[in-house]
């Protein structure tokens, strides 16, 4: 097995983009995720990951030949899941740009709330990726951003969104959604549905919905 390609292939497509249970990660990846989220990639040893996974170091290497392959396997699963959920949300929303916009924003928010650790590691550890995989990972992120870009441009063309700077606006909305992973807690004062409601309103304000 080569770095960046995990045993068992990519994550399966979810049955519903709004449904989140516990992450379905192989035990070594779940152990790596917990360690990376707590100590960072460079602050985590292979021995610690193996211990968290209840494996010997050689046993861990049997599944993932390096710490880098664990990071790549984890991020590949994260982006596969995120992209599948976003695409499904957009398709189910229908053809109207504002409906697609609401759907992709909600999808991004839900993912970054319910997959906080995976999203956090994906955002902070891009610097730790080997060049051989980094371009692939950046390509995944760019694809996600293009989904939002295309909807915002369509909304402007349809007269639904009044922003003068659709590309900048699209990135601001995506950044707002991604940022949720750094502070939101499911057991905090603000519940998930209320956060989504508030941020959907903020996102619509950013693109100028209703001002066209």
């Amino acid at each position: 097995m080569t770095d960046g390609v995990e045993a068992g292939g990519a994550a399966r497509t979810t049955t519903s983009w709004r449904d989140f249970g516990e992450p379905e990660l192989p035990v070594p990846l779940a152990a790596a995720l917990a360690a990376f989220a707590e100590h960072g990639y460079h602050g985590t040893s292979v021995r610690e990951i193996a211990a968290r996974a209840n494996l010997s170091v050689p046993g861990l290497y049997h599944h993932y030949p390096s710490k880098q392959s664990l990071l790549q396997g984890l991020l590949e699963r994260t982006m596969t899941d995120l992209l599948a959920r976003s695409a499904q949300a957009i398709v189910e929303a229908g053809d109207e740009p504002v409906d697609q916009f609401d759907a992709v924003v909600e999808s991004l928010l839900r993912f970054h709330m319910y997959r906080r650790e995976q999203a956090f590691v994906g955002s902070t550890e891009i610097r730790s990726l080997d060049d051989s995989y980094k371009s692939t990972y950046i390509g995944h992120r760019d694809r996600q951003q293009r989904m939002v870009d295309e909807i915002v441009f369509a909304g402007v063309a349809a007269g639904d969104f009044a922003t003068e700077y659709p590309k900048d606006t699209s990135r601001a909305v995506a950044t707002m959604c991604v940022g949720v992973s750094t502070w939101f807690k499911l057991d905090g004062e603000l519940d998930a549905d209320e956060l989504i409601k508030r941020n959907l309103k903020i996102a619509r304000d950013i693109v100028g919905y209703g001002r066209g």
Side-chain angles (χ1 to χ4, degrees), residues 103-124:
V104 77
V105 168
E106 181 183 348
S107 178
L108 285 169
L109 287 168
R110 286 191 182 277
F111 188 89
H112 288 84
M113 287 189 290
Y114 289 99
R115 294 291 182 264
R116 281 187 63 211
E117 286 190 337
Q118 287 176 248
F120 177 74
V121 170
S123 295
T124 57

Side-chain angles (χ1 to χ4, degrees), residues 27 30-32 34-36 38-39 44 47-55:
V27 172
F36 294 157
E38 185 174 346
H39 301 300
T44 298
R47 187 172 299 277
E48 178 183 355
I49 296 171
R52 286 175 181 255
N54 292 317
L55 293 169

Side-chain angles (χ1 to χ4, degrees), residues 99-142:
D99 294 333
Q100 293 182 352
F101 180 74
D102 287 351
V104 77
V105 168
E106 181 183 348
S107 178
L108 285 169
L109 287 168
R110 286 191 182 277
F111 188 89
H112 288 84
M113 287 189 290
Y114 289 99
R115 294 291 182 264
R116 281 187 63 211
E117 286 190 337
Q118 287 176 248
F120 177 74
V121 170
S123 295
T124 57
E125 297 299 347
I126 186 172
R127 61 193 174 185
S128 303
L129 288 170
D130 286 353
D131 290 341
S132 60
Y133 177 71
K134 185 179 289 187
S135 61
T136 299
Y137 182 67
I138 291 173
H140 291 326
R141 288 165 59 106
D142 289 347

